[in-house]
């Protein structure tokens, strides 16, 4: 089952350009160096400076492994440090974790009826 990590945050208005560039670097670095897919989500409705990162992992164990690797990587820490400390409003980050719902398996009787 895939795991989706959805993180929202508010980019400071006076750091908007730097924040967006930093986000792009974070996305590129994570997509190229780790076994995960990261997307930057921009607002269409709601508060204009509220952005999100959507990260997709193969499962919970993979998410844990990737996070461990990222936070042991000095190059990654150098990317996220300024982002968290300088570009986003303090206390604005909110993280939610979702997993996909597996398909329901039909019982054998229903399978046979469908084949007819």
């Amino acid at each position: 089952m895939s795991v989706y990590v959805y993180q929202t945050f508010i980019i400071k208005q006076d750091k908007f350009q730097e924040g967006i560039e930093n986000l792009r670097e974070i996305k590129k670095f994570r997509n190229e160096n780790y076994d995960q897919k990261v997307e930057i989500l921009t607002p269409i409705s709601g508060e204009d400076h509220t952005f999100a990162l959507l990260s997709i992992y193969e499962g919970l164990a993979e998410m844990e492994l990737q996070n461990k690797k990222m936070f042991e990587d000095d190059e990654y820490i150098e990317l996220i440090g300024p982002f968290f400390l300088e570009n986003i409003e303090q206390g604005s980050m909110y993280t939610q974790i979702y997993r996909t719902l597996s398909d329901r398996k039909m019982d054998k009787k229903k399978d046979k009826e469908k084949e007819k």
Side-chain angles (χ1 to χ4, degrees), residues 9 19 22-23 26 79-88 93:
F9 44 86
N22 193 228
L23 262 179
I26 290 169
L79 281 175
I80 65 165
F83 179 71
F84 287 121
L85 297 174
E86 300 169 13
N87 299 323
I88 68 167
M93 184 164 275

Side-chain angles (χ1 to χ4, degrees), residues 1 3 6 15 22-23 26-27 31 46 51 55 70 73 75 82 96 98 102 116:
M1 282 186 276
V3 171
Y6 178 71
K15 294 287 189 168
N22 193 228
L23 262 179
I26 290 169
K27 173 188 172 181
N31 283 333
F51 285 76
S55 307
M70 285 188 305
D73 184 336
E75 192 175 350
Q96 294 175 288
Y98 296 92
S102 61
K116 292 182 182 179

Side-chain angles (χ1 to χ4, degrees), residues 102-115:
S102 61
D103 294 330
R104 187 174 185 181
K105 295 184 180 183
M106 300 175 131
D107 59 34
K108 290 180 184 178
K109 188 176 182 179
K110 286 184 183 178
D111 284 343
K112 287 181 182 179
E113 288 176 11
K114 278 191 162 186
E115 290 175 4

Side-chain angles (χ1 to χ4, degrees), residues 4 8 12 23 49 53 84 87 89-90 109 111 113:
Y4 295 78
T8 59
K12 294 177 182 177
L23 262 179
H49 289 87
L53 281 176
F84 287 121
N87 299 323
E89 294 288 339
Q90 183 176 355
K109 188 176 182 179
D111 284 343
E113 288 176 11

Side-chain angles (χ1 to χ4, degrees), residues 65-78:
L65 178 63
Q66 294 299 316
N67 282 340
K68 182 179 187 306
K69 287 180 182 178
M70 285 188 305
F71 288 100
E72 290 175 348
D73 184 336
D74 292 334
E75 192 175 350
Y76 180 69
I77 297 299
E78 286 179 26

Side-chain angles (χ1 to χ4, degrees), residues 44-57:
I44 293 175
S45 64
E47 295 186 34
D48 290 338
H49 289 87
T50 300
F51 285 76
L53 281 176
L54 179 64
S55 307
I56 305 168
Y57 303 89

